[in-house]
Amino acid sequence: MAALRIQDLAIEYVQGGYVVRPIDGLDFSAEDGELVILLGPSGSGKTTLLSCMASLLRPTEGTILVGSTEVTRLSGAELEQYRRGTVGIVFQAFNLVPSLTARENVAAPLRLAGVSRADAYRRADELLERVGLSERAGHLPSRMSGGQQQRAAIARALVHDPPLIVADEPTAHLDFVQVEEVLGLIRELAAPGRLVVVATHDDRFSPLADRVIELAPKPAGEELPTRSAVLAAGDVLFAQGEPSQLIYVVEEGEIELFRPLADGGEEVLSRRGPGTWLGEMGPMLGLPRSATARAVEPSRLTGYGLQEFRRLRAAKS
């Protein structure tokens, strides 16, 4: 049985010379047998978080507990055993070996672990039957549909009977018929003895889930109250990576938008004075803040929800 506990997790990396922190201070838990959805757009840290759960990456801060195992502390033989026996991974692009049949692809992890060919094939056939692919056992990936390839990939992830399955965008390359098949299969996998965590931007998963963790805010709506902000020079209005809710209009003063660099410096992207606005893309697209906003001098701003901001702009045009 595997319960999941994530505590004060932060993930930071360098991309294009910028420091990116898609996950900052994340806390959540899930129980054995649950289907958990990590829901968010591209760039919200879903895949990176899954990689940390699978111990393919190490977070910058915080802890991940799977059952009694603190994944973030594993190394050496313990790490190898965790990757092999505790977690199964379903990749977005299937990652099947093109030259191997479905049976051979599913049996491959067992053969690499030293299991005999006969036993590995017996286990592979059991799992292919479970995912409804017995008739395709001898087919190469090129002779299978996207949905069939994904089901073979799911069977491969189950070979060691792991208590934790992580799946990265498992419906990304499927049509609507294949999506229904794979969604149903993933729902069935989440049962006592196995926890399933799926990273996706596809909210069709949500009704099936026991728990949905949103990794980016929903677009701001008109229910958000207008907010006034008065800043001294050097005060931060919002920081890169924070949830986006309000769009700000500069009434007085000057605001600079900047991003931290990997070398410890900063890159100033723009400066906004009276009558201009900032921070509009995050609320419009449901994304975290892509830069930090800081007052260059004493400043006064008004923050608007997305719908209120649209009405404001329409009235001025």
Side-chain angles (χ1 to χ4, degrees), residues 212-274:
V212 177
I213 309 298
E214 295 196 34
L215 295 182
K218 294 179 179 179
E222 56 187 322
E223 73 280 358
L224 290 174
T226 300
R227 174 198 166 197
S228 295
V230 178
L231 307 177
D235 285 352
V236 171
L237 177 65
F238 55 74
Q240 179 180 321
E242 288 183 350
S244 301
Q245 292 184 306
L246 299 176
I247 301 169
Y248 289 91
V249 174
V250 182
E251 310 289 354
E252 298 175 3
E254 187 175 39
I255 303 293
E256 64 181 0
L257 293 165
F258 71 91
R259 289 178 182 149
L261 298 173
D263 61 7
E266 298 174 350
E267 179 186 22
V268 176
L269 305 174
S270 65
R271 291 190 172 188
R272 309 290 174 88

Side-chain angles (χ1 to χ4, degrees), residues 5-228:
R5 302 285 183 269
I6 290 183
Q7 301 169 338
D8 200 23
L9 199 75
I11 302 172
E12 183 177 289
Y13 55 87
V14 176
Q15 187 174 63
Y18 297 112
V19 176
V20 181
R21 199 177 179 94
I23 304 291
D24 194 4
L26 179 67
D27 290 280
F28 77 88
S29 61
E31 301 305 322
D32 173 64
E34 289 189 335
L35 172 60
V36 180
I37 302 301
L38 305 177
L39 188 64
S42 177
S44 61
K46 304 185 304 296
T47 298
T48 306
L49 178 55
L50 281 191
S51 296
C52 289
M53 291 182 195
S55 202
L56 301 177
L57 295 176
R58 192 177 295 273
T60 307
E61 300 169 8
T63 58
I64 299 174
L65 291 161
V66 177
S68 60
T69 301
E70 187 171 344
V71 178
T72 40
R73 289 185 177 272
L74 295 177
S75 62
E78 289 181 330
L79 176 59
E80 180 63 28
Q81 180 57 39
Y82 173 81
R83 290 173 176 169
R84 176 177 295 176
T86 303
V87 60
I89 305 174
V90 179
F91 298 95
Q92 177 178 341
F94 317 138
N95 283 18
L96 299 177
V97 180
S99 60
L100 299 182
T101 65
R103 178 186 291 111
E104 291 166 339
N105 266 286
V106 175
L110 293 171
R111 297 289 291 138
L112 290 172
V115 176
S116 70
R117 182 185 299 272
D119 288 343
Y121 280 8
R122 187 178 303 111
R123 174 66 171 158
D125 286 340
E126 290 173 359
L127 291 170
L128 288 171
E129 181 177 2
R130 180 175 179 181
V131 301
L133 277 185
S134 293
E135 294 182 0
R136 297 284 179 172
H139 288 204
L140 296 174
S142 60
R143 296 183 59 201
M144 295 189 288
S145 69
Q148 290 168 344
Q149 290 184 63
Q150 191 60 287
R151 281 187 279 156
I154 291 171
R156 181 182 56 191
L158 292 170
V159 291
H160 293 294
D161 197 22
L164 173 64
I165 294 287
V166 297
D168 184 19
E169 296 281 8
T171 61
H173 301 296
L174 309 182
D175 62 34
F176 71 93
V177 175
Q178 297 164 349
V179 164
E180 183 176 341
E181 296 173 351
V182 171
L183 288 180
L185 177 57
I186 288 175
R187 176 61 266 183
E188 290 174 8
L189 294 180
R194 179 173 295 113
L195 171 67
V196 179
V197 183
V198 176
T200 184
H201 68 278
D202 188 348
D203 60 10
R204 289 175 293 188
F205 267 106
S206 298
L208 301 176
D210 299 299
R211 197 179 302 265
V212 177
I213 309 298
E214 295 196 34
L215 295 182
K218 294 179 179 179
E222 56 187 322
E223 73 280 358
L224 290 174
T226 300
R227 174 198 166 197
S228 295

